[in-house]
Amino acid sequence: MLSRNYLMTACSITGKSVQHVGAALKGLQLLCTWAAEPLEERMRDPQNTALAVEHAPQQTSRQVFKDPAAGGSAGKHGQRNLMPKWPDRQQATETEGCQAARHMTRYIKSQWQLAAHSVKHSRPDKVMEAYYSCMDQMCRQSEKPLNYVHISAIVHGTAKVWTAAGQRRSRWVAEGQAQHNLRKFIARMLGRLQPLLPAVGVRLAAEVLWSSAKLGLNPGVLVPGMTDSLAQQFMADMNAANGLEFSTVLVACARLQSSPCQGALFRAICGRLAVADLSAYSPQTVSNILHSLARLPAAAPSVALLDALCQRFGVLLSGHQAANGPNELPTAQNIANTMWALSKLKYAPADELAMSMVRRIVALCRMEQQLVPQDISSVLLACAELRLPVTQTETQGLASVFLDLKSQLGMRQGYTNTVWSLAVLGHLRQAQFALALDRLTVLSVSHSGMSQPSVVTDSEMRQLYQALDWLQPPSSAHVQQQSVLSSLQGKLRRLGPRPAHTSVRLYDKDKLCAALTQLQLSFKTMVCIQSYLADAVLEPQSSNAKSIILRLGCPDYMRNIPGRLTGRGLFSTHELAKQGWLVDVHREMISNTITVKQLADYLKPVLTAAAGGSLNAYRKPLQTTAIISHGSPKAAVPCQQAPLPSVVQSADSAPSTWAWGYFEAGRRLLRACLPRAP
């Protein structure tokens, strides 16, 4: 029971009658009492799962305006006959509907908050079953159909509850039955939302996409056409979207790896961001946008957009905020995500911005901030890929912090990225490589005890072998250095063998083979050299000449700096150049419009220059066959090649010399193959 003194105090504050205040407080009391009960208790009585909220009696506009003491300034307007133009009952109905909708939204929020709290301390299957049943019965028993705001709130709340369950009950979340129940529930909610989509705005469309992605569910799979419909609703009112909503949609699409409307959504967002005012964008928003664009190949952001985003991030990093902008510095995760995204997009930022990001990370390391190991390895990887002018002191400091952290268990990719990045930057030490191999060995042993395959994947093993190749000392090195390298090789082989290259070329290699054959060259195609794949290798016939390595299609270049190789492209170039003369062939020469003769004409002077002026050392040895006929045609019989005259050694010899040489060789072979007379 509500005390009389409490009611009188509320009446004096609000200016309402005791009847109205008492009814409102009673409804609020019932709602709070019902929301405080555990979901498992409510399941015992199905009727209690319906919304139990008593609304206070609503005053009509006529009652408000007739009571000057109740309405304040509104009462004065009523005395002046300044009445609204709409009917009183319409206004009262709209007011009641808005308040009921707000009550419903608050109720949904209270339910998922309670479920998110209960799932950490109770059985998650029972809690989620109660939550699903509560939401389903509310949808069925509501006096009025739920609108799109309520359904999107249910989907959003489910994502929050599922995330809370995954933090404490990760094994249960991964079970098949739990996933099945989740998909069925979200499919029912999205099915209710689909006919209401025309009224959905940019904020709710972004929220539904993000919530679905957080749950790992593609709306278009659960309800056909749902993802494209949400994307179209977002694009219909894109001018009203802010930076947070843009980043939310991009993050959701990156998680789902989907391309709504065949990439039209990405193109529209990139076009809008390129001309938008980014002064109010926070560091989290900018880093999320860049990180998502790097994970979405269909987005293909322009250089102008990347320039604008980098310029905004530089302003945030410098601490000079706009008047209406957020007052915060980028965190270590913001910087790491931004640098990783720029490396994947092959966009080289200005040296000033790049070094500011690196120095900020180094400063956070010195301040003993709680850094995530993945952030440090991502920064080192970006420094190597973007070829940033970092000093050895900075990289060694970051590598030392990473290797000293004890919380990177399971971060095998962090170890491989770190040693590979140091090798590309030229700062890798043998002791660091040995420590990383020891840590990876420990991880491999711990995982093998759980009947799991090797924790180091082929791509990670390839990184380790490339780092080992960089540590290879020259042949004239000291015996001690050779011994240390042999020890590192043994540790790496125990982790796994050098993986075979499985990349597939997108061109027809038969054209290359035909062109090299037309030039009468001895070659091999698709040769793996030091973990790198060469398109063709010309093998010399003498030991004095070096191999010529052909690589069709130019290596990776920066998008915004023509002619500047990425760190990966430069590293592969150096490693292949150690094995022979490296020749890069332009990508245009392998197009469909180029014939075999045109490719051969292009390759001949290029290869001749690489060989030092003559291709004689790379010519194929002459193969000869004799055709023997004794009255009836027979197959060609290969014969042992007789030594050719010394004049057959130069491609520039006179035609008569060539003819005489082949005539003598054919005559000798014919004599050797013909049966002798008895």
Side-chain angles (χ1 to χ4, degrees):
M1 294 295 293
L2 298 172
S3 65
R4 183 175 181 81
N5 293 335
Y6 190 80
L7 284 174
M8 297 304 297
T9 303
C11 292
S12 62
I13 293 175
T14 61
K16 303 287 184 178
S17 63
V18 176
Q19 178 185 3
H20 291 89
V21 174
L25 292 177
K26 184 179 179 181
L28 181 61
Q29 185 180 20
L30 289 174
L31 174 63
C32 295
T33 303
W34 187 83
E37 295 179 359
L39 287 175
E40 297 159 347
E41 295 293 333
R42 299 178 199 170
M43 286 297 295
R44 298 177 183 176
D45 187 2
Q47 295 181 354
N48 290 339
T49 58
L51 177 60
V53 179
E54 295 184 9
H55 300 292
Q58 299 295 326
Q59 290 181 317
T60 64
S61 59
R62 183 171 299 177
Q63 292 174 332
V64 173
F65 281 101
K66 281 186 176 181
D67 187 4
S73 59
K76 298 178 182 178
H77 289 301
Q79 293 175 350
R80 297 173 186 173
N81 295 325
L82 297 178
M83 299 293 292
K85 296 181 180 180
W86 52 81
D88 296 341
R89 185 56 191 168
Q90 178 182 353
Q91 182 189 20
T93 304
E94 291 177 355
T95 303
E96 292 174 0
C98 292
Q99 291 185 0
R102 286 195 294 269
H103 281 307
M104 184 73 75
T105 305
R106 286 195 293 268
Y107 165 73
I108 294 171
K109 183 177 181 180
S110 67
Q111 291 310 290
W112 68 254
Q113 287 179 340
L114 180 61
H117 175 75
S118 301
V119 80
K120 298 178 182 179
H121 308 286
S122 305
R123 290 182 57 181
D125 53 344
K126 296 296 184 181
V127 175
M128 295 304 297
E129 181 184 356
Y131 175 78
Y132 296 154
S133 178
C134 179
M135 294 295 105
D136 285 332
Q137 291 195 23
M138 182 189 65
C139 294
R140 291 193 301 265
Q141 298 179 4
S142 179
E143 296 180 359
K144 295 182 179 181
L146 300 184
N147 59 28
Y148 57 90
V149 178
H150 302 141
I151 299 176
S152 63
I154 293 174
V155 177
H156 177 74
T158 306
K160 294 287 188 179
V161 178
W162 192 259
T163 302
Q167 294 174 353
R168 294 296 183 92
R169 305 287 194 273
S170 58
R171 291 185 178 180
W172 175 84
V173 167
E175 290 180 358
Q177 187 61 39
Q179 293 281 344
H180 177 70
N181 295 337
L182 174 67
R183 285 194 296 270
K184 288 177 58 178
F185 175 74
I186 296 299
R188 291 195 298 269
M189 294 298 108
L190 293 179
R192 293 179 179 272
L193 180 62
Q194 191 175 29
L196 306 176
L197 282 179
V200 174
V202 291
R203 183 179 65 84
L204 291 182
E207 186 176 286
V208 173
L209 281 172
W210 179 88
S211 301
S212 303
K214 190 74 173 177
L215 294 169
L217 303 175
N218 192 335
V221 175
L222 300 178
V223 179
M226 191 68 179
T227 304
D228 286 346
S229 299
L230 289 170
Q232 290 172 357
Q233 287 300 120
F234 187 86
M235 290 188 292
D237 195 19
M238 191 178 296
N239 293 332
N242 55 28
L244 179 60
E245 290 155 358
F246 282 126
S247 64
T248 300
V249 171
L250 290 175
V251 168
C253 292
R255 282 177 176 266
L256 297 174
Q257 284 299 305
S258 62
S259 179
C261 305
Q262 288 75 41
L265 175 63
F266 304 148
R267 292 190 294 270
I269 291 178
C270 291
R272 183 69 181 85
L273 289 175
V275 297
D277 181 15
L278 307 181
S279 60
Y281 284 32
S282 66
Q284 183 73 25
T285 299
V286 176
S287 63
N288 282 348
I289 291 175
L290 286 170
H291 192 267
S292 302
L293 292 176
R295 296 179 59 192
L296 291 168
S302 63
V303 175
L305 173 58
L306 299 179
D307 289 340
L309 292 172
C310 286
Q311 183 178 2
R312 173 58 187 164
F313 198 81
V315 172
L316 292 168
L317 196 62
S318 63
H320 300 292
Q321 307 294 334
N324 60 340
N327 188 17
E328 55 179 321
L329 288 173
T331 62
Q333 184 181 12
N334 298 150
I335 297 174
N337 288 346
T338 299
M339 295 185 67
W340 178 88
L342 295 178
S343 66
K344 289 299 179 182
L345 293 169
K346 300 177 185 178
Y347 176 90
D351 290 344
E352 181 180 359
L353 172 60
M355 296 312 300
S356 297
M357 290 189 287
V358 174
R359 294 190 187 102
R360 175 64 178 168
I361 291 291
V362 173
L364 291 175
C365 292
R366 293 174 180 173
M367 294 166 57
E368 298 183 355
Q369 297 287 335
Q370 294 296 328
L371 296 179
V372 180
Q374 184 178 359
D375 295 341
I376 300 178
S377 63
S378 297
V379 170
L380 289 172
L381 181 64
C383 291
E385 293 277 15
L386 299 175
R387 295 173 56 193
L388 301 182
V390 291
T391 62
Q392 188 169 358
T393 303
E394 294 169 337
T395 57
Q396 291 297 329
L398 292 175
S400 300
V401 172
F402 174 81
L403 294 174
D404 291 341
L405 291 175
K406 303 300 182 182
S407 60
Q408 66 267 37
L409 293 179
M411 280 292 299
R412 63 180 187 274
Q413 190 175 8
Y415 287 114
T416 57
N417 284 344
T418 298
V419 297
W420 183 86
S421 303
L422 293 175
V424 173
L425 293 169
H427 301 162
L428 180 61
R429 298 175 180 175
Q430 293 179 344
Q432 293 171 332
F433 191 62
L435 179 58
L437 292 179
D438 292 339
R439 298 278 179 86
L440 289 172
T441 303
V442 172
L443 291 175
S444 178
V445 171
S446 62
H447 279 258
S448 62
M450 294 184 287
S451 301
Q452 293 186 2
S454 177
V455 296
V456 186
T457 62
D458 285 349
S459 61
E460 294 163 353
M461 288 299 301
R462 192 171 291 110
Q463 283 183 312
L464 294 175
Y465 273 100
Q466 290 171 3
L468 180 66
D469 294 337
W470 183 84
L471 288 174
Q472 188 77 27
S475 57
S476 59
H478 195 268
V479 178
Q480 185 177 359
Q481 293 182 351
Q482 298 287 351
S483 176
V484 173
L485 183 66
S486 300
S487 175
L488 295 177
Q489 289 176 343
K491 290 182 178 181
L492 186 54
R493 289 195 184 98
R494 284 191 291 272
L495 276 178
R498 186 188 293 266
H501 212 293
T502 57
S503 63
V504 179
R505 297 295 184 179
L506 301 179
Y507 64 89
D508 186 7
K509 65 178 183 180
D510 293 339
K511 183 184 295 186
L512 175 64
C513 296
L516 295 177
T517 303
Q518 184 173 335
L519 296 175
Q520 299 179 358
L521 299 175
S522 176
F523 63 91
K524 291 182 179 180
T525 58
M526 308 299 286
V527 181
C528 187
I529 302 176
Q530 299 292 85
S531 300
Y532 292 102
L533 190 64
D535 297 279
V537 176
L538 304 186
E539 299 177 337
Q541 303 303 313
S542 61
S543 59
N544 297 330
K546 296 174 62 175
S547 300
I548 298 180
I549 303 171
L550 273 73
R551 184 170 57 180
L552 292 184
C554 297
D556 295 333
Y557 288 101
M558 300 292 183
R559 293 182 57 188
N560 58 327
I561 304 179
R564 179 177 177 179
L565 286 170
T566 63
R568 189 177 300 273
L570 185 63
F571 189 66
S572 63
T573 299
H574 286 170
E575 292 301 313
L576 288 175
K578 293 179 181 179
Q579 310 301 320
W581 303 109
L582 180 61
V583 175
D584 283 326
V585 182
H586 292 290
R587 194 178 300 274
E588 292 79 6
M589 298 307 301
I590 58 178
S591 62
N592 295 330
T593 58
I594 301 297
T595 63
V596 173
K597 185 178 184 306
Q598 290 174 332
L599 180 59
D601 294 340
Y602 170 82
L603 289 176
K604 184 175 181 179
V606 174
L607 298 178
T608 302
S614 176
L615 291 173
N616 293 341
Y618 304 91
R619 298 289 183 187
K620 288 183 177 180
L622 186 62
Q623 302 291 335
T624 310
T625 59
I627 301 178
I628 307 171
S629 177
H630 297 283
S632 61
K634 293 185 178 180
V637 180
C639 304
Q640 183 178 3
Q641 181 179 351
L644 297 179
S646 59
V647 294
V648 188
Q649 293 184 4
S650 174
D652 300 327
S653 301
S656 59
T657 307
W658 275 94
W660 175 256
Y662 279 113
F663 173 76
E664 287 291 327
R667 186 170 59 84
R668 293 177 184 177
L669 290 174
L670 190 59
R671 284 182 179 179
C673 296
L674 286 176
R676 297 182 180 180

